[in-house]
């Protein structure tokens, strides 16, 4: 019984400050360049600071060292904010960054820091990949190697 209580305390400490966490699986056929993954977060805190993270799970079939994403946040009132982001996914020697054992690595990537959700209501966050081969104008139709995409929102300290 004592071990169960200690385990519960440890697990609660790991998620302290976590307000939202959601993942979406990417089809095994690959992440379509036109597929915008949608995450919806309902905020009731219009004054607190929040940190937003994108979580990527990739396996050894991901053929790149970087990942380009296009994100957009639609506010409850209809305003929209769009970003193009680049993340390093591997070291120069090819070793994957992130955590995890085996063939899947998980990377928790900074998205936005110290965000205040001024409007109460539902915020819609869309995430799409923006990968393309060097020198090519058109994007990669189906990005291989990404298994899951997640969004986490935490209270800023």
């Amino acid at each position: 019984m004592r071990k169960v209580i200690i385990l519960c305390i440890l697990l609660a400490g790991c998620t302290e400050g976590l307000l939202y966490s959601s993942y979406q699986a990417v089809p095994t056929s690959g992440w379509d360049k036109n597929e915008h993954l949608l995450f919806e977060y309902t905020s009731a805190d219009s004054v607190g600071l929040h940190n937003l993270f994108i979580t990527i799970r990739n396996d050894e079939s991901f053929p790149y060292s970087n990942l380009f994403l296009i994100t957009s946040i639609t506010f409850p009132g209809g305003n929209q904010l769009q970003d193009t982001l680049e993340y390093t996914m591997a070291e120069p020697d090819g070793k994957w960054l992130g955590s995890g054992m085996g063939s899947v690595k998980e990377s928790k990537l900074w998205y936005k820091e110290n965000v205040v959700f001024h409007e109460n209501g539902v915020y819609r966050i869309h995430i799409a990949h923006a990968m393309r081969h060097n020198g090519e104008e058109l994007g990669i139709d189906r990005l291989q190697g990404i298994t899951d995409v997640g969004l986490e929102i935490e209270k800023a300290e």
Side-chain angles (χ1 to χ4, degrees), residues 20 22-26 31-40 52-57 67-74 80-87 107 109-112 123-131 143 146 148-153:
Y20 176 87
S22 180
Y23 286 84
Q24 293 187 30
V26 174
W31 189 359
D32 187 283
K33 70 178 180 181
N34 297 313
E35 183 178 7
H36 295 250
L37 302 175
L38 172 63
F39 299 88
E40 294 183 325
L52 284 67
F53 299 91
I54 296 172
T55 306
I56 300 291
R57 292 182 184 140
L67 176 65
F68 288 87
L69 300 175
I70 295 176
T71 62
S72 66
I73 298 177
T74 303
Q80 191 175 55
L81 177 64
Q82 185 169 321
D83 291 299
T84 301
L85 309 166
E86 178 184 9
Y87 296 105
S107 298
L109 310 168
W110 276 99
Y111 173 31
K112 293 201 172 285
Y123 287 78
R124 290 176 175 80
I125 297 101
H126 288 89
I127 302 173
H129 82 80
M131 298 294 289
L143 181 61
I146 302 296
D148 300 277
V149 178
L151 178 73
E152 292 186 359
I153 300 174

